[in-house]
Amino acid sequence: MNKEELKGLLPHREPMLLLDEAEVVDGEAHGKITITGDEFFVQGHFPGNPVVPGVILCEMLAQNCCVLLADDLAAKGATPFYTSLDKVRFKHPVRPGDTVELTCRLTKARGPFRFATGEARVGDDVCCVAEMSFALMPGEKN
């Protein structure tokens, strides 16, 4: 999916749409975003040494997970809401010029809840890993 196709699935819009592309391959969501340095979240984080904030990396993972939830979201007319973020580890900084590659897998479903794991990499460097959960809430998605 390109950015315009992602807008048909995700409720996010610029400047909070944090994926350039994504696809599902063998039950995993693979997404990418290239950090240009113009993003709002690196403007003051940190002057002279711009770094993508960890919380933004977690949001990138969450949006990538939503690609795995496409069938659920369409069938239920639901919006995914983050419900937990566990075992988060930040291992390498992400800077302007980097392309972040995201990989997420669903691990469990229970009622309206979906559980997943995710990893963000730049090249061979693991930047962030996390376990996440989401609630699929009825309502408008756009």
Side-chain angles (χ1 to χ4, degrees):
M1 292 181 192
N2 63 31
K3 197 166 237 183
E4 287 307 309
E5 292 167 322
L6 287 165
K7 288 179 182 180
L9 171 66
L10 298 172
H12 307 80
R13 296 294 178 268
E14 288 85 1
M16 281 305 296
L17 179 58
L18 301 176
L19 293 174
D20 290 334
E21 61 184 73
E23 65 180 339
V24 177
V25 177
D26 296 329
E28 292 182 337
H30 295 271
K32 287 184 182 181
I33 182 169
T34 298
I35 305 303
T36 66
D38 294 328
E39 296 84 2
F40 75 92
F41 48 81
V42 294
Q43 295 302 306
H45 195 267
F46 304 100
N49 185 25
V51 177
V52 175
V55 68
I56 296 294
L57 290 173
C58 292
E59 179 63 21
M60 289 173 187
L61 288 170
Q63 290 182 24
N64 194 53
C65 282
C66 290
V67 174
L68 292 170
L69 304 175
D71 291 341
D72 282 338
L73 298 176
K76 300 178 193 290
T79 300
F81 283 88
Y82 242 146
T83 54
S84 73
L85 190 54
D86 297 306
K87 298 181 182 172
V88 178
R89 299 289 179 266
F90 302 107
K91 299 175 179 255
H92 192 272
V94 175
R95 302 180 184 284
D98 288 343
T99 296
V100 182
E101 297 180 18
L102 307 150
T103 304
C104 297
R105 292 166 234 55
L106 289 178
T107 58
K108 183 169 65 171
R110 176 184 263 166
F113 297 98
R114 302 295 181 269
F115 301 84
T117 60
E119 177 181 272
R121 291 179 165 270
V122 173
D124 292 333
D125 295 320
V126 174
C127 300
C128 178
V129 295
E131 294 180 4
M132 303 157 276
S133 68
F134 306 88
L136 305 181
M137 303 299 294
E140 292 294 317
K141 67 176 183 172
N142 291 330

